C-alpha cells in the first residue's frame, strides 16, 4: 500500500484505541456512581494514571515548543491528546469521589 493508506490505517487504529479506552473507563464510572462509593479501589492507581495522562499531554506542548508549531504538535496528534484528556477526566472524577469519601470517613471517626 501507499504511505497515505498506511497513515489512514494508523488514524483508524488510534481512533479504535480511544474508543477502547473510553469503554474501559465507563463501567467503573457507572459502578462508582451507582454504588456512590469507590470502596476497595486503590487511589494510587488513579493518581498514577492521572500523572501519566497529564505528562502525555504536556509532552505534546513540549514537542510543539521544540518544533515551533504548538498548535500542530498538540492538535496534529489528536489520538494522544484524546487519550490524555480522557484519562485526566476519568481520573479527576474518580479522585473527587474517592477524596470526598475519605473526608466523610475521617469526619465520622473524628466525631465519635
Amino acid at each position: 500500500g501507499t504511505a497515505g493508506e498506511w497513515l489512514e490505517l494508523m488514524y483508524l487504529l488510534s481512533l479504535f484505541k480511544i474508543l477502547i479506552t473510553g469503554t474501559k473507563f465507563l463501567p467503573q464510572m457507572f459502578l462508582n456512581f451507582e454504588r456512590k462509593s469507590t470502596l476497595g479501589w486503590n487511589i494510587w492507581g488513579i493518581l498514577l494514571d492521572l500523572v501519566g495522562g497529564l505528562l502525555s499531554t504536556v509532552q505534546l506542548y513540549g514537542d510543539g515548543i521544540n518544533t515551533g508549531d504548538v498548535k500542530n504538535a498538540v492538535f496534529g496528534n489528536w489520538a494522544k491528546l484524546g487519550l490524555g484528556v480522557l484519562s485526566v477526566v476519568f481520573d479527576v472524577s474518580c479522585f473527587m469521589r474517592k477524596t470526598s469519601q475519605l473526608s466523610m470517613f475521617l469526619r465520622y471517626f473524628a466525631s465519635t
Side-chain angles (χ1 to χ4, degrees), residues 66-92:
N66 282 341
T67 61
D69 187 4
V70 174
K71 182 180 176 185
N72 190 39
V74 173
F75 297 105
N77 194 346
W78 55 267
K80 186 171 185 171
L81 179 64
L83 288 171
V85 168
L86 186 63
S87 216
V88 167
V89 167
F90 170 75
D91 294 331
V92 165

Side-chain angles (χ1 to χ4, degrees), residues 12-87:
L12 183 63
L13 290 174
S14 61
L15 178 61
F16 186 65
K17 168 71 173 165
I18 292 173
L19 291 172
I20 292 294
T21 302
T23 304
K24 174 183 78 170
F25 287 149
L26 285 177
Q28 185 66 54
M29 288 184 76
F30 285 128
L31 184 63
N32 292 350
F33 178 76
E34 203 173 69
R35 294 185 324 172
K36 305 287 186 245
S37 173
T38 58
L39 188 65
W41 199 31
N42 193 333
I43 198 165
W44 289 106
I46 301 168
L47 291 175
L48 290 173
D49 195 50
L50 176 64
V51 169
L54 288 172
L55 290 177
S56 180
T57 306
V58 167
Q59 184 184 16
L60 290 172
Y61 285 102
D63 291 345
I65 290 169
N66 282 341
T67 61
D69 187 4
V70 174
K71 182 180 176 185
N72 190 39
V74 173
F75 297 105
N77 194 346
W78 55 267
K80 186 171 185 171
L81 179 64
L83 288 171
V85 168
L86 186 63
S87 216

Side-chain angles (χ1 to χ4, degrees), residues 1 3 8-9 31 73 80 99 103:
E8 282 185 37
L9 177 63
L31 184 63
K80 186 171 185 171
T99 55
S103 67

Side-chain angles (χ1 to χ4, degrees), residues 97-109:
R97 167 137 347 246
K98 190 75 166 172
T99 55
S100 70
Q101 289 172 343
L102 181 61
S103 67
M104 288 185 329
F105 178 78
L106 293 174
R107 278 190 303 238
Y108 173 77
F109 279 106

